[in-house]
Amino acid sequence: MENCIFCKIIAGDIPSSKVYEDKDWYAFKDIEPCAPVHILVVPKKHVKSIMEMTNEGNPEFQNFFPTIKHIATEAGLKDKGFRLVVNTGEKAGQTVFHFHAHIIGGKDMGWPPFPEEAK
Ligand code: 5GP
Ligand code: ZN
């Protein structure tokens, strides 16, 4: 997809710190990490967000959770745990409109994630 920063990263036109790649998925370190481990996992085929997905159009998502498990394990998070975040839509904080899952971990994280006054 033209003018998509993550498509350009997948194509190698913009440099990234790759942590994993297979035929369907590409994973790299977030440029502004919010934890010791902050990895973005993106499908190689451009899809804007969860809201544009279909089973027929996006069969690679059948392997989504096993891929997350593999990447998180390789990142040393098997026992420490991690948070998986998928911001969907502008109001939810999505700023790059190529689906991506954030694997965030390596520190203790509170729950709920938002300050009381934000409710
Ligand atoms: P969103 O807010 O859409 O859920 O997350 C977008 C994420 O992409 C942000 O955490 C941001 O730091 C990251 N990001 C934006 N541009 C780049 C880039 O060029 N390289 C890398 N590695 N991460 C990026
Ligand atoms: Zn894209």
Side-chain angles (χ1 to χ4, degrees), residues 15-88:
S16 65
S17 298
K18 178 171 94 171
V19 298
Y20 176 78
E21 181 173 15
D22 65 24
K23 72 177 175 54
D24 292 323
W25 296 97
Y26 189 84
F28 55 104
K29 292 182 182 172
D30 196 292
I31 204 165
E32 282 185 54
C34 65
V37 179
H38 188 169
I39 295 168
L40 300 174
V41 183
V42 305
K44 287 188 171 175
K45 191 168 90 180
H46 181 94
V47 62
K48 196 173 155 191
S49 82
I50 287 173
M51 302 313 286
E52 282 72 33
M53 283 177 197
T54 60
N55 282 337
E56 299 71 30
N58 306 95
E60 66 277 19
F61 276 84
Q62 285 172 16
N63 206 31
F64 176 64
F65 285 112
T67 304
I68 296 292
K69 174 182 168 180
H70 176 78
I71 295 167
T73 303
E74 291 288 298
L77 299 176
K78 184 173 180 281
D79 298 321
K80 289 182 184 162
F82 61 93
R83 184 165 293 160
L84 189 66
V85 174
V86 181
N87 294 325
T88 305

Side-chain angles (χ1 to χ4, degrees), residues 4 6 29 31 68 74 83-84 96 100 107 109 117:
C4 170
F6 287 176
K29 292 182 182 172
I31 204 165
I68 296 292
E74 291 288 298
R83 184 165 293 160
L84 189 66
V96 178
H100 50 282
K107 69 171 188 182
M109 286 179 284
E117 59 270 21

